[in-house]
Amino acid sequence: MNWKQKLFSSFTVAAILSMSAVAGAVEKKENSKPNIVVIYVDDLGYGDLSCTGATGVQTPNVDKLAQNGILFTDAHCSAATCTPSRYSLLTGSYAFRKNAAVLQGDAPLLIEPGTPTLPSMLQQEGYKTAVIGKWHLGLGNGNVDWNGDVKPGPLEIGFDYSYLIPATGDRVPCVLLENHKVLGLDQNDPITVSYDGMVGTDPTGTKNPDLLRYGADKQHSNTIVNGISRIGYMTGGNAARWKDETIPFQMLSKARSFIDENQETPFFLYFAFLDIHVPRLPALRFAGKSTMGVRGDAIVQMDYITGQLVDYLKSKGLLDNTLIVFSSDNGPVINDGYDDKAMELLGDHKPGGIYRGGKYSAYEAGTRVPTIAYWPNKIKGGQTSNALVGHVDLYASIASLVNHELQDGEAPDSFNQLETYLGTDNKGRAELVEEAYTLSIREGKWKYIQATKNAGGWIKTEKNIESGLSTKAQLYNLEDDPKELNNLAESNPKLVVKLDAKLQKIKNE
Ligand code: NG6
Ligand code: CA
């Protein structure tokens, strides 16, 4: 309460009591548990926002969240690819414990029903929960029938509502699911999906390159949907196939309905963008809105939709008591399989900011992603925090926020960092594991990257990204050398042994 509100409340108790119905409703909203919205962008790099130094694209709506909230400069998703990061976000458990890796579009559900999850914990605490957007955590039991009830899925692990892109934008099946059903499916045109070989007679990128809007590499040259060849084969489901251009708007519309329906209870919305992952097909109204071609235009679209979502919460009188966490599931990639001119049009924009590497990489740009916490009622605006934080901690931090006591085995790798997330302290984590085809550990200014058997040459040759993998141990002092240019492992053998032992211990916990 500010002084005006205090004055108002002390002098007008009687008046409020006489207006109890209306005032009671206002009080209830103010005192009740906050709504929680996690906005998770796909493949957005540390430097991809104007508030983190982007050139070539402006993100005024996201910048506003940062300006009126906290911008974290050393926050990390759990891994340098999508599935493991999302697994950790929802379970509060490191993804290496589950061997979580990028999943195909027909993979079974990775999180077993019964596993405590962020949404199931919030359900227990009286929240209504929804996931809207990219899932990529598997669906079904391993032999999913896309024409029937597609389950288990989000509804079986803690979400009350789901509206899903099943895997990635570049993987079949290219259909949207609402709860257990494929939306708009004509039962006379059933869907078959395969990652083993061709099904049906639909054109593919390999056979029909003349039908493509973008050229693609071999892995992305299977079934063509909406003029784009994808990874994997599908046939049928023609009426249900998505138009990439309209997905963010459909997501926004579903988010508004979810908010409408649940405005009287606290809610948790996991809003998982498809942008700015490939294929990048922003709606026409965003064409040319950046100087970077479709990758930049997709960032503009993401920013616009974020603004619309925030405005909607505001129009409903809900924004002040909503905690919004905005971030990304892994670092940036420019060329991820399609000839969309993202590389040619990049200019001097640095998608990973000053950091080395990118998506797939063990260097900092792999997991150090722009992260913003915003909550008008609680978070003082205009803050920048350099505390070391991990998205894996959102589970325990949010649990603390809603007074949920963690049970044994619940969110095992998640630490309560609520004070840091709310900006009332700047401590952050003492240590944090980063994952990217190897494991690294951060401790204060130090970062140790474990040696691997091979140096991940494909990341450089196929993606033009420095992998950060090496057959030798690596040790960096990020305070003096944030770009990870000077490997200090050989001159600090004791520290290497110590950090390696620490990592092993965490692995064996
Ligand atoms: C890779 C895909 C890439 C992307 C990635 C997952 C290649 C050749 N292809 O297998 O395009 O889909 O998986 O991205 O690398 S993620 O953001 O969902 O992790
Ligand atoms: Ca991703």
Side-chain angles (χ1 to χ4, degrees):
M1 250 196 233
N2 62 31
W3 67 270
K4 277 186 197 160
Q5 288 165 322
K6 272 186 198 152
L7 207 63
F8 175 81
S9 66
S10 52
F11 283 106
T12 53
V13 174
I16 285 176
L17 286 177
S18 68
M19 289 160 52
S20 60
V22 180
V26 173
E27 274 301 291
K28 189 169 157 257
K29 251 182 199 171
E30 278 188 0
N31 293 336
S32 64
K33 292 175 178 170
N35 307 305
I36 299 164
V37 177
V38 173
I39 301 177
Y40 226 41
V41 188
D42 199 359
D43 295 1
L44 188 78
Y46 187 83
D48 277 328
L49 298 170
S50 31
C51 62
T52 55
T55 58
V57 64
Q58 292 295 314
T59 54
N61 293 297
V62 178
D63 293 359
K64 225 192 277 172
L65 296 179
Q67 279 148 15
N68 297 302
I70 309 170
L71 174 66
F72 292 90
T73 61
D74 199 1
H76 294 257
C77 50
S78 135
T81 50
C82 168
T83 302
S85 281
R86 287 163 203 258
Y87 176 83
S88 291
L89 174 77
L90 294 187
T91 63
S93 174
Y94 283 134
F96 64 78
R97 301 204 191 286
K98 187 79 180 172
N99 288 325
V102 173
L103 294 178
Q104 301 294 35
D106 60 353
L109 180 64
L110 187 62
I111 302 171
E112 278 148 41
T115 309
T117 64
L118 177 58
S120 71
M121 178 273 285
L122 287 169
Q123 271 181 338
Q124 283 174 44
E125 301 305 329
Y127 278 70
K128 290 287 179 208
T129 60
V131 49
I132 293 180
K134 177 176 176 175
W135 182 238
H136 210 190
L137 288 166
L139 291 165
N141 283 323
N143 193 13
V144 55
D145 175 9
W146 299 99
N147 309 296
D149 274 348
V150 177
K151 64 181 188 184
L155 300 198
E156 284 66 41
I157 58 162
F159 286 103
D160 295 306
Y161 173 75
S162 69
Y163 181 76
L164 302 183
I165 293 125
T168 59
D170 56 358
R171 282 179 174 76
V172 299
C174 299
V175 292
L176 296 159
L177 275 87
E178 188 164 41
N179 299 323
H180 292 140
K181 299 282 191 204
V182 169
L183 267 175
L185 179 68
D186 172 2
Q187 287 293 343
N188 294 321
D189 181 28
I191 298 171
T192 309
V193 168
S194 170
Y195 279 78
D196 298 328
M198 178 97 173
V199 287
T201 55
D202 292 69
T204 65
T206 310
K207 285 199 203 134
N208 307 88
D210 48 310
L211 298 178
L212 295 177
R213 295 156 75 180
Y214 293 127
D217 65 15
K218 193 158 167 278
Q219 198 194 349
H220 292 83
S221 288
N222 304 150
T223 304
I224 299 175
V225 176
N226 194 25
I228 299 289
S229 51
R230 317 271 169 165
I231 304 174
Y233 298 92
M234 76 176 286
T235 189
N238 282 282
R241 292 185 184 196
W242 71 43
K243 299 269 176 296
D244 307 70
E245 295 84 344
T246 56
I247 293 174
F249 294 88
Q250 289 163 271
M251 285 170 52
L252 177 63
S253 155
K254 295 293 177 182
R256 286 175 176 155
S257 305
F258 173 74
I259 292 166
D260 283 347
E261 283 158 24
N262 296 289
Q263 51 189 308
E264 297 305 327
T265 47
F267 58 79
F268 168 62
L269 169 61
Y270 170 39
F271 192 81
F273 273 105
L274 194 60
D275 298 308
I276 57 171
H277 194 283
V278 294
R280 301 172 184 124
L281 296 158
L284 200 54
R285 62 184 287 183
F286 300 108
K289 297 289 183 212
S290 76
T291 60
M292 301 194 291
V294 288
R295 185 172 183 279
D297 297 348
I299 295 175
V300 176
Q301 171 168 279
M302 174 283 294
D303 180 71
Y304 171 83
I305 298 284
T306 299
Q308 291 290 303
L309 187 57
V310 173
D311 285 353
Y312 197 70
L313 289 164
K314 189 165 189 188
S315 73
K316 291 276 158 182
L318 298 167
L319 186 62
D320 285 349
N321 201 27
T322 299
L323 166 64
I324 299 178
V325 177
F326 172 96
S327 199
S328 170
D329 69 336
N330 51 251
V333 55
I334 308 304
N335 182 352
D336 212 4
Y338 295 99
D339 301 333
D340 62 7
K341 301 277 175 289
M343 194 60 98
E344 292 86 334
L345 295 168
L346 192 61
D348 60 3
H349 177 79
K350 300 273 178 293
I354 63 161
Y355 302 104
R356 193 171 179 186
K359 180 174 179 178
Y360 310 109
S361 170
Y363 288 134
E364 280 298 279
T367 61
R368 194 187 288 229
V369 283
T371 301
I372 296 164
Y374 169 92
W375 180 5
N377 271 358
K378 276 275 156 57
I379 294 179
K380 191 169 138 285
Q383 298 187 66
T384 302
S385 170
N386 60 5
L388 175 64
V389 289
H391 297 171
V392 69
D393 295 329
L394 281 171
Y395 192 130
S397 307
I398 290 173
S400 160
L401 175 64
V402 300
N403 296 319
H404 173 90
E405 205 172 308
L406 294 180
Q407 306 298 302
D408 272 356
E410 183 175 2
D413 298 306
S414 190
F415 293 165
N416 178 4
Q417 294 288 317
L418 185 64
E419 298 299 323
T420 305
Y421 269 113
L422 299 185
T424 46
D425 81 24
N426 197 34
K427 285 196 208 108
R429 274 200 168 232
E431 61 198 26
L432 179 72
V433 174
E434 299 176 13
E435 184 177 341
Y437 304 101
T438 185
L439 295 179
S440 310
I441 185 162
R442 287 282 310 278
E443 192 190 62
K445 63 185 181 185
W446 294 107
K447 175 172 174 187
Y448 162 70
I449 309 178
Q450 240 176 5
T452 46
K453 286 210 178 72
N454 71 63
W458 67 271
I459 299 176
K460 183 73 192 164
T461 48
E462 288 175 30
K463 309 292 179 186
N464 197 23
I465 289 172
E466 293 182 291
S467 70
L469 304 179
S470 169
T471 52
K472 290 186 180 150
Q474 297 172 79
L475 178 73
Y476 297 101
N477 175 343
L478 295 182
E479 213 169 83
D480 299 344
D481 177 27
K483 294 188 173 142
E484 298 167 278
L485 296 170
N486 299 313
N487 181 4
L488 302 173
E490 276 185 19
S491 48
N492 291 272
K494 276 194 191 146
L495 187 53
V496 167
V497 169
K498 188 186 131 201
L499 291 174
D500 191 67
K502 207 163 230 184
L503 194 51
Q504 287 306 335
K505 187 168 167 276
I506 295 172
K507 267 171 90 173
N508 297 331
E509 268 166 9

